[in-house]
Amino acid sequence: HVMFKAENPKLFAQRVAAAHQLRKSTEAVLRYNLYVDSMPIQEGDYFDEYRTERIRDLSINTRQLLDNEEMLDIPTMISEITTDYARTMNKIVFDQSIAEQRNHHEVFAKLNLPPEKPQ
C-alpha cells in the first residue's frame, strides 16, 4: 500500500481496512456462487404445459410484443427461466445444508458465507 505524505494516516488506514473487508466479502460472494453453480442440476421438466403457456402469456403482454411474437425466441426464454429456477432450488438446498451441518462438519465450519442483504 502506498501512502503519500500529504495523506491523513488515520483516513488512509480506514480506507485500507475498508478495502480489505470489501475484498473479503466479495471473495465470499464469488465462492458461494461458485459452490451453488457447481451443484448438479436435475434434468427434467420443471414446468408443465400450463405453466409454460402462462409464462409465455405474461411475458408478451404488450401490443408491440404480441405483434412481433414470431421474432421472439420463446423456447430459449423458457430454458433460461428453467435454469434460473434450478439454480434457485440448488441455492435453497445449499443454504439449508449449511444451516443444518455448520456445527457438525469441518468444511462448513470454515465456510465464509456472503453477508445477508438488508431487506
Side-chain angles (χ1 to χ4, degrees):
H1 307 290
V2 177
M3 185 182 99
F4 297 102
K5 288 185 178 184
E7 287 185 277
N8 181 334
K10 188 174 183 178
L11 291 177
F12 175 78
Q14 290 173 345
R15 212 169 42 251
V16 170
H20 281 280
Q21 183 59 37
L22 182 60
R23 179 181 178 139
K24 184 178 178 180
S25 67
T26 301
E27 286 175 350
V29 169
L30 290 171
R31 193 174 303 109
Y32 175 80
N33 286 324
L34 175 67
Y35 294 157
V36 172
D37 289 339
S38 297
M39 292 174 68
I41 294 176
Q42 181 180 356
E43 295 296 323
D45 293 332
Y46 286 99
F47 305 113
D48 58 13
E49 189 64 32
Y50 170 76
R51 290 189 196 279
T52 302
E53 285 300 313
R54 182 102 168 103
I55 291 169
R56 187 191 73 72
D57 291 343
L58 289 172
S59 64
I60 57 172
N61 61 358
T62 65
R63 174 58 48 205
Q64 186 176 8
L65 289 173
L66 286 170
D67 291 342
N68 296 314
E69 184 177 355
E70 67 278 351
M71 295 178 65
L72 298 174
D73 190 5
I74 302 295
T76 300
M77 180 181 65
I78 297 296
S79 175
E80 288 178 17
I81 292 169
T82 302
T83 301
D84 287 345
Y85 179 80
R87 185 187 188 284
T88 301
M89 292 295 106
N90 281 348
K91 182 184 177 308
I92 291 169
V93 169
F94 187 74
D95 289 348
Q96 286 176 345
S97 295
I98 289 174
E100 293 170 0
Q101 299 179 19
R102 180 172 286 283
N103 297 329
H104 305 292
H105 200 278
E106 183 179 317
V107 173
F108 290 131
K110 295 179 182 179
L111 181 63
N112 291 327
L113 294 180
E116 292 290 324
K117 292 181 182 178
Q119 295 181 355

